[in-house]
């Protein structure tokens, strides 16, 4: 973004059944090709567990007995398509099999992050709006309009609502990122709104896990991707002989470690030399243990902290909270420099003032790129691949490295990831969590409410973690 823009306008939801039917009709094509017909390596199969839970909940919802929110895992950008499959295919099929009578369409409103439209285009805003989506600015301290609309939909809409409580993709099917407290807070607000209206529906949160795996282990494509990354980094490209193909995980793991070590060293030097950052020494006890994975993670966390400080210093922000909190604050600070709420019509500015506004916007965008690098590795751990060296975990980690390198090379738009092979998705619906019960226990004072929201968020996190382990 090299030019200042007008403020980000709120896009109200305008659910249109015709658009929903079109999306449902196109779903098989979107799953397999994702709008890239020259790369047929999308999702070929989706398995759903416990869809009957949602079928029964929809029946109770339509009977006016419950209100519920679907809190789904968000590892990949394909998750919304899988959720559409769950509601438009799996739930109706199970309902028919079990004789559960439902009113159609079986669909949901959903909350999406307003920033998605910045890289996807305005057409996506129209599409989401007509599918029943409502936007929220995740980094904004108080997005009153977004919160009010989502809160009203949860309590009063003719369909339930769906939210990704992690707030963003983390690229890991086997790791649940820290959850943002908004889902639990929306649940408490919904109970309050129903109580004020003298309504007796029970409020529930339904955890839903999404995981992806390859139909066939893509070791050959992984070798190609790792070779590309090695070449991009200026490292010698590893050549695998025929005798080494029997145990590819033993060959590829050292390559991942070498790439990680090289990139960390390069980025540490980059921030020390050009941004004059001092890197704190690694803990002596950690170095004495000599565990390469632990040392790499300590260096990664130090580097993430340094990158965020570079951006925070520019925007005059104090480091507060975890890495995710800091990323959100930086995102909002950057947007305030690019999407100018203090200017009614950016195109009406005199040329000199417009030039200064563009200058500020370009600088803000550049500073936000430090934050984007941190976001890329927000869920990375030192043991994710080692503890379970599956082709999926190798691929997830290699693709994150691809994203990181691509961000440094491309100043305009992140290039599409390489397709490594056909994938299959597993959707697991968990047991609903009663918000109404927990709300009743937290009404003594405001502190009790905050504690209640925190505990509910932890319980939801544990439920999602349990679902991806089963």
């Amino acid at each position: 973004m090299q030019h200042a823009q007008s403020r980000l306008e709120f896009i109200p939801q305008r659910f249109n059944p015709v658009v929903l039917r079109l999306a449902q009709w196109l779903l098989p094509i979107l799953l397999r090709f994702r709008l890239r017909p020259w790369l047929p390596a999308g999702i070929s199969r989706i398995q759903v567990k416990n869809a009957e839970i949602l079928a029964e909940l929809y029946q109770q919802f339509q009977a006016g007995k419950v209100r519920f929110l679907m809190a789904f895992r968000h590892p990949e950008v394909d998750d919304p398509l899988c959720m559409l499959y769950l509601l438009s295919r799996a739930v109706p099929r199970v309902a028919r099999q079990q004789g559960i009578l439902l009113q159609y369409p079986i669909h949901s409103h959903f909350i999406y992050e307003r920033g998605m439209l910045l890289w996807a285009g305005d057409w996506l805003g129209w599409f989401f709006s007509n599918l029943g989506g409502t936007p929220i600015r995740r980094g904004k301290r108080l997005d009153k309009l977004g919160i009010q609309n989502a809160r009203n939909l949860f309590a009063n809409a003719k369909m339930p609502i769906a939210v990704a409580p992690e707030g963003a993709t983390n690229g890991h099917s086997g790791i649940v990122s820290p959850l943002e407290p908004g889902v639990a807070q929306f649940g408490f607000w919904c109970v309050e709104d129903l109580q004020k209206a003298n309504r007796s529906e029970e409020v529930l949160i339904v955890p839903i896990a999404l995981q992806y795996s390859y139909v066939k282990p893509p070791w050959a494509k992984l070798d190609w991707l790792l070779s590309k990354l090695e070449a991009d980094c200026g490292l010698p490209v590893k050549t695998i002989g025929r005798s080494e193909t029997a145990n590819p995980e033993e060959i590829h793991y050292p390559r991942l470690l070498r790439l990680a070590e090289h990139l960390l060293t390069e980025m540490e030097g980059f921030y020390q030399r050009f941004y004059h950052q001092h890197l704190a020494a690694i803990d002596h006890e950690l170095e004495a243990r000599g565990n390469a994975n632990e040392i790499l993670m300590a260096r990664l966390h130090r580097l993430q902290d340094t990158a965020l400080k570079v951006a925070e210093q520019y925007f005059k922000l104090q480091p507060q909270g975890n890495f995710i909190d800091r990323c959100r604050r930086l995102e909002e600070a950057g947007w305030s420099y690019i999407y100018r709420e203090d200017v009614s019509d950016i195109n009406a500015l005199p040329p000199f003032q417009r030039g200064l506004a563009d200058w500020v916007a370009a600088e803000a965008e550049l500073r936000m790129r430090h934050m984007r690098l941190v976001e890329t590795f927000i869920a990375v751990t030192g043991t994710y691949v080692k503890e379970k060296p599956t082709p999926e975990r190798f691929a997830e980690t290699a693709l994150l490295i691809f994203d990181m390198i691509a961000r440094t090379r491309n100043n305009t738009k992140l290039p599409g990831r390489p397709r490594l092979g056909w994938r299959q998705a597993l959707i697991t619906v968990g047991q609903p969590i009663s918000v109404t019960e927990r709300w009743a226990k937290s009404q003594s004072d405001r502190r009790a409410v905050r504690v209640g929201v925190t505990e509910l968020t932890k319980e939801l996190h544990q439920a999602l973690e349990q679902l991806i382990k089963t």
Side-chain angles (χ1 to χ4, degrees):
M1 187 61 67
Q2 301 297 311
H3 302 283
Q5 307 290 318
S6 299
R7 71 184 67 188
L8 289 174
E9 299 294 343
F10 180 79
I11 304 174
Q13 73 85 21
R14 298 184 176 89
F15 175 65
N16 187 332
V18 176
V19 175
L20 174 61
R21 291 295 297 174
L22 176 63
Q24 292 173 341
W25 180 76
L26 290 173
L27 182 59
I29 301 173
L30 296 175
L31 283 169
R32 295 176 71 86
F33 296 99
R34 270 248 323 271
L35 301 181
R36 294 181 183 179
W38 61 93
L39 288 175
I43 298 173
S44 61
R45 178 173 177 265
I46 298 179
Q47 179 185 0
V48 179
K49 291 184 178 180
N50 307 329
E52 65 275 4
I53 293 176
L54 280 179
E56 293 170 358
L57 285 175
Y58 265 95
Q59 186 182 48
Q60 295 174 39
F61 180 96
Q62 293 172 356
K65 297 179 180 179
V66 302
R67 309 287 303 181
F68 69 91
L69 177 151
M70 290 172 281
F72 64 94
R73 277 236 50 220
H74 199 14
E76 301 287 351
V77 294
D78 298 298
D79 303 335
L81 295 177
C82 291
M83 287 295 294
L84 181 59
Y85 176 91
L86 172 66
L87 299 183
S88 65
R89 304 291 203 279
V91 171
R93 181 168 57 246
V94 168
R96 290 192 297 270
Q97 291 171 352
Q98 299 194 0
I100 299 174
L101 298 179
L102 298 177
Q103 301 172 21
Y104 289 82
I106 305 302
H107 188 55
S108 75
H109 293 285
F110 56 94
I111 297 175
Y112 65 93
E113 209 284 305
R114 181 63 175 84
M116 287 181 63
L117 311 186
L118 306 183
W119 55 263
D122 292 339
W123 70 270
L124 190 63
W126 175 89
F127 187 59
F128 279 176
S129 174
N130 282 269
L131 282 181
T134 186
I136 277 186
R137 297 264 297 267
R138 64 185 178 189
K140 197 169 185 179
R141 193 165 188 176
L142 188 59
D143 183 5
K144 291 183 178 180
L145 189 56
I147 290 173
Q148 288 173 354
N149 276 270
R151 181 173 177 173
N152 178 61
L153 288 173
F154 194 179
N156 301 307
K158 296 180 179 180
M159 299 183 295
I161 193 167
V163 187
E166 290 165 285
T169 60
N170 73 359
H172 290 69
S173 281
I175 296 178
V176 181
S177 294
L179 306 188
E180 298 183 5
V183 167
Q185 184 62 72
F186 274 120
F188 274 54
W189 282 336
C190 186
V191 177
E192 292 176 7
D193 293 341
L194 297 180
Q195 292 278 337
K196 291 177 182 178
N198 294 318
R199 291 163 55 185
S200 60
E201 297 105 304
E202 183 178 11
V203 178
L204 305 169
I205 292 178
V206 186
I208 300 176
L210 289 88
Q211 295 172 282
Y212 300 91
S213 60
Y214 288 94
V215 176
K216 295 181 179 179
W219 292 119
K221 288 289 186 68
L222 271 169
D223 175 48
W224 166 83
L225 176 58
L226 290 172
S227 297
K228 173 178 170 52
L229 297 176
E230 289 166 343
D232 288 344
C233 291
L235 293 171
V237 176
K238 171 71 176 178
T239 302
I240 299 179
R242 290 185 178 182
S243 61
E244 297 175 303
T245 57
N247 298 302
E249 62 275 5
E250 296 180 5
I251 302 300
H252 293 328
Y253 189 68
R255 299 175 74 184
L256 276 179
L257 285 181
R258 185 176 66 152
L259 279 167
E261 167 73 28
H262 177 80
L263 288 170
L264 282 171
T265 301
E266 287 288 322
M267 294 304 295
E268 287 167 348
F270 172 74
Y271 280 107
Q272 286 176 310
R273 179 181 178 186
F274 298 107
Y275 289 92
H276 317 294
Q277 297 296 307
H278 171 72
L279 301 182
I282 299 297
D283 184 82
H284 292 301
E285 293 184 6
L286 183 61
E287 287 189 315
R289 288 200 297 269
N291 187 306
N293 296 88
E294 290 183 357
I295 293 174
L296 281 176
M297 283 310 301
R299 292 175 63 188
L300 175 61
H301 290 159
R302 181 181 64 180
L303 185 62
Q304 288 174 304
D305 178 64
T306 300
L308 291 176
K309 283 180 179 177
V310 167
E312 289 166 341
Q313 289 164 4
Y314 174 77
F315 291 112
K316 299 297 182 183
L317 296 175
Q318 293 298 316
Q320 294 179 1
N322 58 30
F323 287 157
I324 295 177
D325 297 331
R326 293 167 69 181
C327 286
R328 297 294 171 266
R329 294 179 69 230
L330 281 168
E331 183 175 61
E332 183 56 33
W335 283 3
S336 70
Y337 282 32
I338 299 171
Y339 301 93
R340 300 288 295 272
E341 296 192 3
D342 59 327
V343 179
S344 58
D345 184 0
I346 197 74
N347 295 316
L349 290 176
F352 176 65
Q353 293 182 8
R354 178 60 189 264
L356 292 178
D358 290 344
W359 191 348
V360 168
E363 180 72 15
E365 175 68 20
L366 186 61
R367 296 288 173 162
M368 288 171 68
R369 289 174 67 185
H370 300 283
M371 178 269 291
R372 297 300 180 200
L373 290 178
V374 174
E375 267 191 331
T376 302
F377 295 97
I378 209 73
V380 168
T381 72
T383 60
Y384 184 64
V385 177
K386 188 175 183 179
E387 68 186 8
K388 195 174 181 180
T390 62
E392 287 75 24
R393 295 196 176 197
F394 272 101
E396 289 170 356
T397 305
L399 287 170
L400 289 177
I401 294 176
F402 172 87
D403 291 344
M404 182 264 185
I405 295 175
R407 287 189 185 281
T408 64
R409 297 179 61 189
N410 196 298
N411 293 326
T412 54
K413 189 175 182 180
L414 190 65
R417 285 177 158 189
R419 299 293 184 91
L420 302 182
W422 290 102
R423 294 179 301 153
Q424 53 195 0
L426 172 62
I427 306 174
T428 308
V429 181
Q431 292 296 326
I433 301 170
S434 175
V435 183
T436 305
E437 294 177 4
R438 287 149 185 80
W439 179 86
K441 298 176 182 177
S442 63
Q443 294 307 295
S444 56
D445 54 43
R446 289 185 178 179
R447 182 180 178 279
V449 173
R450 289 195 297 270
V451 171
V453 170
T454 300
E455 290 180 347
L456 180 55
T457 302
K458 289 181 180 178
E459 185 175 353
L460 177 58
H461 190 276
Q462 292 170 356
L464 289 171
E465 284 190 321
Q466 189 61 38
L467 288 176
I468 66 174
K469 293 177 182 177
T470 55

